[in-house]
Amino acid sequence: MANSKVLQDTGDLVLNRISKRYGDFCAVDDLTLTIPDGSFFALLGPSGCGKTTTLRMIAGLEEPSAGTISIGDTDITTQKPYRRNVNTVFQNYALFPHLSIFENIAFGLRRRGIKDVKSEVEKALDLVELAHLAERKPGQLSGGQQQRIAVARAIVNRPEVLLLDEPLGALDLKLRRQMQIELKRIQMEVGITFIHVTHDQEEAMTMADTIAVMNQGKIEQMGSATELYEAPKTAFVANFLGQCNLIKVRVQSRSGGKVVVSAKGHTFEIPESRVSSSNDSLLLGVRPEKLRLDGSGVNSIKECLVTDRSFVGTSTQYLVRTPWDLELVVFEQNDEGLHDLRLGDKVSLEWDSEHTFGLDGAQDVNAGADLDDDE
Amino acid sequence: MAFLQGTTKSQSGAKGDSLKKRSLTPYLLIAPGLIWLITFFVIPIFSLGSTSTMVRPQGAQIGTYVQELRFANYVDAFLANQEQYVRSFLYAGIATILALAISYPLAYMIAFRAGKYRNILLVLVVAPFFTSFLLRTVAWSQILGDEGPVLSTLRFLPFIDESLRLTATPFAVVSGLTYNFLPFMTLPLYASLERIDPRTLEASGDLYANGFITFRKVTVPLSMPGVVAGTLLTFIPAAGDYVNAALLGNPSTKMIGNVIESRFFAVVDYPTAAALSFTLMATILILVTLYIRKSGTDELV
């Protein structure tokens, strides 16, 4: 059939200044992105941030309003989806209900006129460990099994790029964890580029080599999970990945690799390399688990009040109010150094300079907070 | 504690009551339908069955029959009306195929492409039911008549003979049948097409199938329940129809429905009419069973 017409390019996937507008609404805004060949890449963002639209443009299911998409040296911007060497795992799997599992997986192979359909399908079924279900219909499978069949149906074609659109969204927590590991294993085995769209920051951090955090059609920041977590560049990224304490501060001096800042009479230090703005008004960020309930050290706030306490197994989470009524979150590991504070206790906070980061102070302190679980 | 026990007891009591009530409810719900069916279907069918084997005694008055269990009535009735019998299924078959060919694109368009006009189009599909079936059929004899729009348009074409007539032809009968049962074809088709998850169509495109192959391999198989339901709803009544043949046909386009009608009301030959009705019913039942088996949609219907 149309086998020779499917493009067989290899190389990096490059999105060059692509935009997608629906009337007045701009879903994807002038996005430029290079996804290295063979990587596990995650597009992370809250619902409506444009990540699924981006994915659909790569698949060819939407056409960009502007910009180009290419794999290696070939421009695929206007190629029909059935000509692209790209396959998709759809959000609700979109298996063909009238075909057996075997025929579902064989669908792409048959369209391209591949000779040895049977052994290819069996290999794919072995990869997802569901060989015994080949003769069933999709309706007879559980959600997790359907999910794995959807992956097998896409992977069996050995595409250059595999797109995963919230593939674990419909699964319960335990199964999701299991599938995350499974998908990571499959990616390593087949070595093709995976682009994973998700709103679950933990999922993105567990699986992807590189994460691009998207917000309102733009990429806020791109990097490894550690980079994004330890050194976010915007308040949105700081709040969207895990929890973060952000304190409004003013710069006092910049010298000797240190930036000295102050807030309500307290002075703190941030390493200059971890400050991403030259503005005089900054947001000082520090993760809850980096805060210690102690009062020595350079960066400390005394005379704080415990306002809430919750025990969550591995740690105890405190809400602590500073003298100027700012609530900070503190995680304390449940080991021998446990303080076991009660509500209303007076406490001091301190942290190490190298665990802080400075962001531009003109941003909304709450940007990206409480967005991750709204779907 | 005693209070708690009290509530549990009364709760379980209520449960028992509702259980008893619930076990009676289905029967009450089914009763009207059941009574209706027994009065207007089961009893008549037995009376029809017994009529079919009756014989008119020698010299008895017209319309007087006695039961003699003469099953040869069936053979006689069939042999005498073979021609109309075969013609009925032929016309019904052609009308069904034509209706499918017209309805599929229409239903597809309404389901996938109509957007905000979807409901208006659906109303238009059902709109013919707002007027009488009989009147609409009569209207067709005017549409196809010698001075009607169809023929006067056709006459512009060079190869059309002046003497061409469309009324009182098989063409007119089949057109009438096709037209009259079009909504019965369109609505089930629409219902099954509309149920298709558009993402399965996207998935097909994603898996290297172009538009035509997606249609053939995904859309058509998934719409089969609608095709089966639509063809049955068209074919069954069309095979037994007599209005179209009576109003739009001529004596040589008579269908089995016309024979039954004239046997009952004109000739007053009840046994033959009853035997023909039964043969028609049995044939349709066999054809439908074979058809559903063949199309492999028994689990989907």
Side-chain angles (χ1 to χ4, degrees), chain A residues 6 56 82 84 86-88 90 94-98 107 111-112 153 157, chain B residues 199-200 202-211 213 217-218 221-222 299:
Chain A
V6 176
R56 289 174 63 83
Y82 56 86
R84 298 188 187 201
V86 169
N87 288 117
T88 311
F90 289 82
L95 297 176
F96 304 120
H98 60 297
F107 195 89
R111 298 293 83 73
R112 290 189 303 156
R153 183 177 71 170
N157 304 297
Chain B
R199 272 172 305 199
T200 56
E202 285 184 348
S204 169
D206 189 64
L207 293 164
Y208 316 111
N210 61 27
I213 294 174
K217 293 283 179 184
V218 183
L222 287 178
E299 55 184 306

Side-chain angles (χ1 to χ4, degrees), chain A residues 316-328:
Chain A
T316 305
Q317 306 189 357
Y318 293 104
L319 261 185
V320 175
R321 192 188 295 147
T322 64
W324 64 92
D325 278 352
L326 178 71
E327 298 230 291
L328 299 179

